[in-house]
């Protein structure tokens, strides 16, 4: 039987959850109802009661109620919901999860959803979905639907939206079950030729696409499946999360513009931990310096005053970029070296001496050999005496030959690491 788990506060949203349950049952779906409410009485019965959810978080429901602290209660029940959904998933009783809510309900449900493996269907109908949902989605594959009106009763607007959510969850759950993936997880690294292609991560931006595409094609020829992550902030965080989980056989991190954004206040930073997970996990990695010649901001009219007198380019209507200075490039070299010095697995750096992006190619608006040299020199100095290897290539990062060479180096270090194991 196909199972959809409904997770939500049955005191404040009980009517809506009862409606969702009936809709799923009419569609032939078995429902597991999980109650994450605390203060009021549930308006519909649950299959997993709120007291059980609280216990899963190591808490007592009566004490949560007596405390009267809504923030603490939401945090605790979110932790309990996470443990509950993981248990149901392990038991094969979760083929999809569906939730509805405002800010509190969305916070509880999406924390639980984020804990589930990629590929498990996750649908969140929320009044928060028309704004910045990065805090709810994180690096997971949650499907967010905007509720248009608040989740406060059934009406002409909410009913068709909730009906669409029911249909989406039911369809996803059936497809998920039919595929035989009651508990799908990205496979762990496998040997080439073992019948399952090992996964490799690659980082890419529009300004490094040609080089990364050449690397991807070469790695595919060598027997790998390549997952490409757009360095949009979220993309880098997702790459780091999956690398930390040991999903990848290797990482080809050719595009590091998120680190420049982190240093210079750009809008597409992936945070201070970018370029650390693979090294911490001992995963073979080949790194390059793609797009470190720029920092990304929003639309031109949102450019900070401090950046307006720099070399400015409108990348598209949503993104404006400025050229990194010689001093900034030197600091980027130091920061990258410090991250790579701590790597516990084989690490190589491929340096394209003729430019780091389409804008930084010879003759391009961001071609600045002095700034690039500052980056290269600081990187080499910072890696002096470390196990990491630096290889220079007298080419541009988007030269297909460079991409293929970087791919060959990753294949070599993966092979050497496995031979030594």
């Amino acid at each position: 039987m196909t199972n959809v788990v409904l997770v939500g506060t049955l005191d404040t949203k009980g009517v809506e959850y009862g409606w969702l349950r009936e809709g799923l049952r009419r569609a032939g779906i078995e429902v597991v109802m999980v109650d994450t409410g605390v203060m009021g009485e549930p308006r519909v019965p649950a299959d997993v009661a709120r007291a059980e959810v609280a216990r899963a978080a190591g808490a007592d429901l009566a004490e949560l109620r007596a405390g009267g602290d809504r923030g603490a209660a939401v945090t605790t029940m979110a932790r309990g919901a996470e443990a509950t959904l993981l248990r149901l998933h392990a038991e094969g009783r979760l083929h999809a999860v569906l939730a509805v809510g405002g800010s509190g309900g969305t916070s509880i449900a999406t924390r639980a959803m984020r804990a589930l493996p990629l590929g498990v269907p996750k649908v969140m109908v929320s009044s928060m979905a028309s704004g910045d949902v990065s805090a709810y989605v994180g690096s997971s594959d949650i499907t967010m639907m905007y509720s248009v009106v608040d989740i406060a009763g059934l009406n002409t607007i909410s009913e068709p939206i909730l009906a669409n959510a029911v249909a989406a969850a039911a369809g996803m759950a059936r497809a998920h079950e039919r595929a035989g993936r009651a508990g799908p997880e990205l496979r762990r690294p496998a040997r080439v030729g073992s019948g399952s292609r090992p996964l490799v991560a690659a980082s890419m931006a529009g300004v490094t696409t040609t080089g990364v595409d050449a690397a991807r094609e070469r790695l595919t020829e060598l027997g790998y499946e390549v997952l490409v992550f757009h360095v949009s902030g979220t993309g880098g965080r997702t790459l780091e999360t999956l690398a930390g989980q040991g999903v990848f056989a290797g990482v080809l991190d050719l595009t590091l513009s998120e680190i420049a954004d982190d240093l210079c206040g750009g809008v597409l930073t992936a945070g201070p931990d970018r370029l650390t997970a693979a090294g911490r996990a001992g995963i073979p990695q080949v790194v390059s310096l793609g797009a470190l010649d720029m920092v990304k901001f929003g639309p031109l009219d949102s450019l900070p005053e401090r950046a307006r007198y720099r070399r400015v380019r409108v990348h598209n209507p949503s993104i404006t970029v400025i050229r990194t200075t010689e001093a900034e490039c030197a600091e980027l070299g130091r920061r990258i070296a410090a991250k790579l010095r701590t790597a516990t697995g084989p690490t190589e750096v491929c340096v394209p001496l003729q430019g780091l992006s389409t804008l930084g190619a010879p003759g391009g608006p961001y071609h600045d050999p002095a700034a690039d040299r500052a980056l290269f020199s600081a990187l080499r100095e910072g890696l002096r005496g470390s196990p990491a290897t630096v290889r220079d290539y007298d080419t541009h990062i988007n030269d297909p030959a460079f991409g293929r060479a970087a791919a060959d180096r990753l294949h070599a270090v993966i092979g050497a690491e496995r031979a030594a194991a």
Side-chain angles (χ1 to χ4, degrees):
M1 176 63 73
T2 305
N3 295 293
V4 170
V5 174
L6 294 174
V7 54
T9 53
L10 302 188
D11 47 2
T12 61
K13 311 297 181 191
V15 171
E16 295 85 350
Y17 272 96
W19 193 92
L20 292 171
R21 176 162 57 187
E22 291 309 308
L24 287 165
R25 286 176 173 171
R26 286 194 300 271
I29 302 294
E30 189 71 24
V31 177
V32 180
M33 186 87 85
V34 177
D35 185 7
T36 59
V38 174
M39 299 302 179
E41 293 303 315
R43 303 182 67 177
V44 292
D47 300 294
V48 181
R50 57 184 58 186
E52 184 177 347
V53 175
R55 283 195 298 273
D60 179 78
L61 181 63
E63 292 178 0
L64 281 179
R65 281 180 161 177
D69 186 333
R70 184 179 183 275
V74 166
T75 300
T76 299
M77 296 306 279
R79 193 166 66 247
E82 176 182 335
T84 300
L85 264 60
L86 286 172
R87 173 178 62 81
L88 292 170
H89 172 258
E91 294 170 353
R93 299 173 60 199
L94 188 157
H95 301 110
V97 57
L98 170 61
V100 299
S103 60
T106 302
S107 178
I108 292 171
T110 54
R111 170 169 174 167
M113 291 177 183
R114 290 194 302 273
L116 293 169
L118 293 177
V120 176
K122 313 163 184 76
V123 181
M124 181 75 231
V125 184
S126 173
S127 57
M128 307 298 291
S130 68
D132 180 3
V133 298
S134 58
Y136 302 123
V137 175
S139 57
S140 72
D141 56 344
I142 297 172
T143 299
M144 299 286 292
M145 292 179 62
Y146 182 41
S147 63
V148 182
V149 294
D150 201 358
I151 309 295
L154 301 168
N155 54 59
T156 302
I157 299 295
S158 65
E159 282 199 13
I161 292 171
L162 295 181
N164 285 341
V166 165
M172 289 179 184
R174 283 200 182 93
H176 191 61
E177 185 186 25
R178 279 198 304 269
R181 299 185 303 225
E185 294 185 30
L186 288 174
R187 60 182 178 273
R188 294 302 186 256
R191 291 185 180 277
V192 177
S194 68
S196 179
R197 291 184 296 160
L199 293 177
V200 165
S203 57
M204 186 171 78
V207 294
T208 63
T209 296
T210 304
V212 177
D213 273 350
R216 176 179 54 80
E217 291 166 4
R218 176 59 178 153
L219 285 167
T220 301
E221 292 173 1
L222 292 168
Y224 298 92
E225 181 178 350
V226 184
L227 306 183
V228 178
F229 295 86
H230 182 208
V231 287
S232 59
T234 302
R237 287 192 296 272
T238 304
L239 188 160
E240 297 292 318
T241 297
L242 295 177
Q245 294 172 0
V247 166
F248 303 124
V251 173
L252 189 69
D253 217 343
L254 299 187
T255 311
L256 301 182
S257 60
E258 291 159 318
I259 298 178
D261 278 32
D262 188 58
L263 171 66
C264 302
V267 297
L268 299 184
T269 174
D273 294 330
R274 181 71 173 89
L275 195 63
T276 60
R280 195 165 51 242
I283 297 170
Q285 59 181 334
V286 169
V287 175
S288 191
L289 309 171
L292 287 175
D293 52 4
M294 64 185 68
V295 181
K296 297 182 177 69
F297 292 93
L300 181 60
D301 59 7
S302 71
L303 197 65
E305 184 67 24
R306 59 186 166 80
R308 291 181 181 273
Y309 304 102
R310 304 274 290 269
R311 278 184 278 177
V312 177
R313 298 283 296 186
V314 176
H315 185 61
N316 61 48
S318 300
I319 296 293
T320 305
V321 298
I322 62 171
R323 211 310 178 180
T324 43
T325 65
E326 189 171 336
E328 289 165 348
C329 284
E331 178 59 22
L332 286 169
R334 288 188 286 269
R335 291 192 178 195
I336 291 165
K339 292 171 185 284
L340 296 181
R341 286 187 70 91
T342 66
T344 60
T347 299
E348 294 195 3
V349 183
C350 294
V351 178
L353 298 173
Q354 297 301 317
L356 308 178
S357 72
T358 53
L359 297 180
Y366 282 1
H367 184 58
D368 188 337
D372 289 350
R373 282 195 300 270
L375 170 65
F376 304 155
S377 297
L379 176 71
R380 291 190 187 96
E381 182 61 29
L383 289 176
R384 192 183 305 277
S386 79
T389 301
V390 180
R391 299 179 185 273
D392 289 346
Y393 295 83
D394 191 22
T395 185
H396 182 265
I397 195 166
N398 280 315
D399 186 328
F402 176 81
R404 290 191 293 269
D408 285 337
R409 291 311 312 154
L410 183 62
H411 181 56
V413 296
I414 291 173
E417 190 263 347
R418 286 177 169 169

